[in-house]
Amino acid sequence: MDGARIEIELHGSLDSIGAEDWDACAGAGEGRPEDPFTTYRFLKAVEDSGSVGPGTGWQPRYLTAKADGEIIACAPMYAKSHSQGEYVFDHNWAHAYERAGGRYYPKLQIAVPFTPVTGRRLLVRAGYETLGMSALVQGAVQVAAENQLSSMHMTFCSEDEAIAGREMGLLHRTGQQFHWVNDGYGSFDAFLATLSSRKRKNIRKEREKAQGFGGEIMCLTGDQIRPEHWDAMWMFYQDTGARKWGTPYLTRAFFDIAHEVLRDDILLVLAMREGQAIAGAMNMIGRDALYGRYWGCIEDHACLHFELCYYQAIDWAISQGLARVEAGAQGEHKLARGYLPVETHSLHWIADDGFSDAVARYLVAEREAVAEEIEVMTAWGPFRKETREDHE
């Protein structure tokens, strides 16, 4: 296929690509998708709900690469007029760029909107990996250059993509998150047995406090989720979003569409009392992982956040034989609850050579700092000494 004619095309809507071609590149065939966030149905729900599009600062510019008329690769790409909802923070870059007289926005962003979850960003059909990845990167950079945009960013990409992108001349940035890893545990107690005595006792106390809120905790997925559960989750999401971000990213319509097309990919963990949900957490389900996304409450109860977001997620992952739980961005408090730091990756292209060189120098120091912090936190993790050595 080295001699194939490659065509790069931009799309303002997923409608012009189609689910079959997109999911063939995303590896989202029958059964549970490896990555629920890059499926056609998830990205289409974000688009159709108006969570991206006019007025949001996320304007779809989906990228496809064709070889001999067939789509072999695609990428969820957006023209961004701000840096909100990305979780790889470049605000300081933007301020410095504009202080120097440049115009940082709009920029191009290859990402799943509002989703700090690692996964493939360059979606390529099996057998076209090298050709497809190269075509998408070159196409994205060409689009940015031809439109005189400041930059192109690919956030929360896979490690393999980070290595390939670096070899193609992109700037490589690292960060960290906290993930729980299933070491073949048969139960939550089996997991607890690997922790230090102090951490084990603390988690048991937190779970006891949380479960004493006066109701019951329910884990719902698929047809178990009813419209009233989405009403509650929307209320929780609005409250948390207003406090953390100022304006929630997802619209109410997203939750209605999720009920129709995504409920098999979603786990809701709800604290119920007298038929009413007083707190809840929303997770996405992948083939090998559970991804914590949103949390909220209408009442404050001690440790309920830890129970719904972390401990129930671990319990459910063990019961389903999932390999890990990814609990979202930031949060060193997760370390004491069995979630260990892992490295995340992003790739960047900056048009101005001088500014690009300055960022490259900064990223060298930042990568070293991130690696050191991960090493230190892993060493101070919650596991017993002999267990900790197994994780190193």
Side-chain angles (χ1 to χ4, degrees):
M1 293 301 297
D2 289 343
R5 181 171 179 267
I6 303 297
E7 299 176 58
I8 299 295
E9 189 174 354
L10 287 177
H11 305 260
S13 171
L14 284 171
D15 288 331
S16 63
I17 301 173
E20 186 175 348
D21 280 328
W22 185 278
D23 283 343
C25 296
E30 295 183 4
R32 183 77 68 192
E34 180 179 354
D35 181 353
F37 301 102
T38 56
T39 60
Y40 186 90
R41 58 183 176 269
F42 179 84
L43 294 168
K44 190 75 161 57
V46 173
E47 180 186 325
D48 287 350
S49 66
S51 301
V52 300
T56 67
W58 290 80
Q59 194 61 38
R61 291 293 183 265
Y62 308 110
L63 193 64
T64 59
K66 288 183 178 179
D68 296 330
E70 179 187 38
I71 291 179
I72 63 163
C74 54
M77 189 166 77
Y78 302 84
K80 292 293 307 296
S81 61
H82 53 63
S83 291
Q84 303 302 315
E86 297 169 12
Y87 301 94
V88 176
F89 302 112
D90 64 345
H91 300 89
N92 289 339
W93 299 5
H95 295 156
Y97 199 86
E98 291 174 356
R99 281 198 303 270
R103 183 186 177 199
Y104 196 72
Y105 304 108
K107 61 178 183 175
L108 287 182
Q109 193 85 19
I110 297 178
V112 176
F114 335 123
T115 306
V117 171
T118 292
R120 288 193 303 139
R121 296 295 172 259
L122 306 174
L123 311 177
V124 183
R125 285 183 190 264
Y128 294 90
E129 287 81 3
T130 301
L131 180 64
M133 288 173 65
S134 176
L136 290 175
V137 169
Q138 292 181 48
V141 169
Q142 183 178 344
V143 169
E146 288 180 350
N147 288 275
Q148 298 182 313
L149 303 183
S150 69
S151 52
M152 186 278 294
H153 310 264
M154 187 190 312
T155 44
F156 292 98
C157 62
S158 69
E159 184 176 7
D160 287 344
E161 288 173 332
I163 293 169
R166 195 168 57 213
E167 292 174 350
M168 284 185 262
L170 300 181
L171 303 177
H172 177 210
R173 190 177 192 184
T174 58
Q176 70 172 34
Q177 284 185 343
F178 293 87
H179 298 174
W180 176 85
V181 177
N182 187 353
D183 195 17
Y185 303 120
S187 65
F188 194 92
D189 281 341
F191 155 63
L192 284 183
T194 66
L195 304 182
S196 68
S197 175
R198 185 166 61 87
K199 295 292 192 251
R200 186 165 60 246
K201 290 177 180 177
N202 184 64
I203 288 176
R204 284 179 173 147
K205 286 180 180 178
E206 287 185 343
R207 297 204 77 179
E208 185 178 358
K209 283 182 182 178
Q211 293 175 12
F213 74 95
E216 63 175 332
I217 295 172
M218 302 173 62
C219 293
L220 307 173
T221 187
D223 291 340
Q224 297 171 326
I225 303 175
R226 308 302 304 160
E228 59 266 26
H229 299 138
W230 291 115
D231 291 338
M233 200 64 231
W234 166 247
M235 181 169 53
F236 302 148
Y237 173 73
Q238 274 191 306
D239 176 67
T240 301
R243 285 186 285 106
K244 284 193 172 183
W245 316 305
T247 304
Y249 298 129
L250 297 172
T251 65
R252 179 64 180 86
F254 173 84
F255 292 83
D256 292 333
I257 296 172
H259 181 70
E260 296 300 321
V261 302
L262 294 173
R263 63 182 184 268
D264 288 339
D265 298 328
I266 289 173
L267 173 72
L268 294 185
V269 182
L270 299 176
M272 306 289 296
R273 191 177 62 234
E274 298 178 356
Q276 181 183 17
I278 63 160
M282 173 178 160
N283 307 266
M284 296 291 291
I285 310 168
R287 189 177 304 156
D288 299 315
L290 186 67
Y291 303 94
R293 292 305 303 118
Y294 303 113
W295 140 270
C297 62
I298 57 174
E299 295 180 8
D300 291 325
H301 292 274
C303 302
L304 194 57
H305 171 259
F306 300 144
E307 176 67 19
L308 298 191
C309 294
Y310 306 143
Y311 303 142
Q312 287 288 329
I314 290 173
D315 247 339
W316 199 84
I318 290 172
S319 73
Q320 301 299 310
L322 298 181
R324 65 190 186 280
V325 177
E326 298 191 17
Q330 296 135 17
E332 292 184 4
H333 59 279
K334 297 168 187 171
L335 185 67
R337 292 160 181 91
Y339 290 73
L340 291 176
V342 299
E343 196 172 57
T344 62
H345 304 272
S346 60
L347 293 166
H348 309 266
W349 174 86
I350 297 173
D352 184 272
D353 289 338
F355 195 79
S356 180
D357 289 342
V359 169
R361 290 192 296 273
Y362 164 78
L363 292 180
V364 170
E366 186 184 48
R367 286 195 299 270
E368 292 175 353
V370 168
E372 182 178 353
E373 187 173 9
I374 288 175
E375 183 178 357
V376 169
M377 285 194 293
T378 300
W380 284 95
F383 294 92
R384 299 197 321 264
K385 184 178 185 299
E386 59 270 26
T387 308
R388 189 180 301 131
E389 288 171 352
D390 293 338
H391 285 277
E392 291 175 349

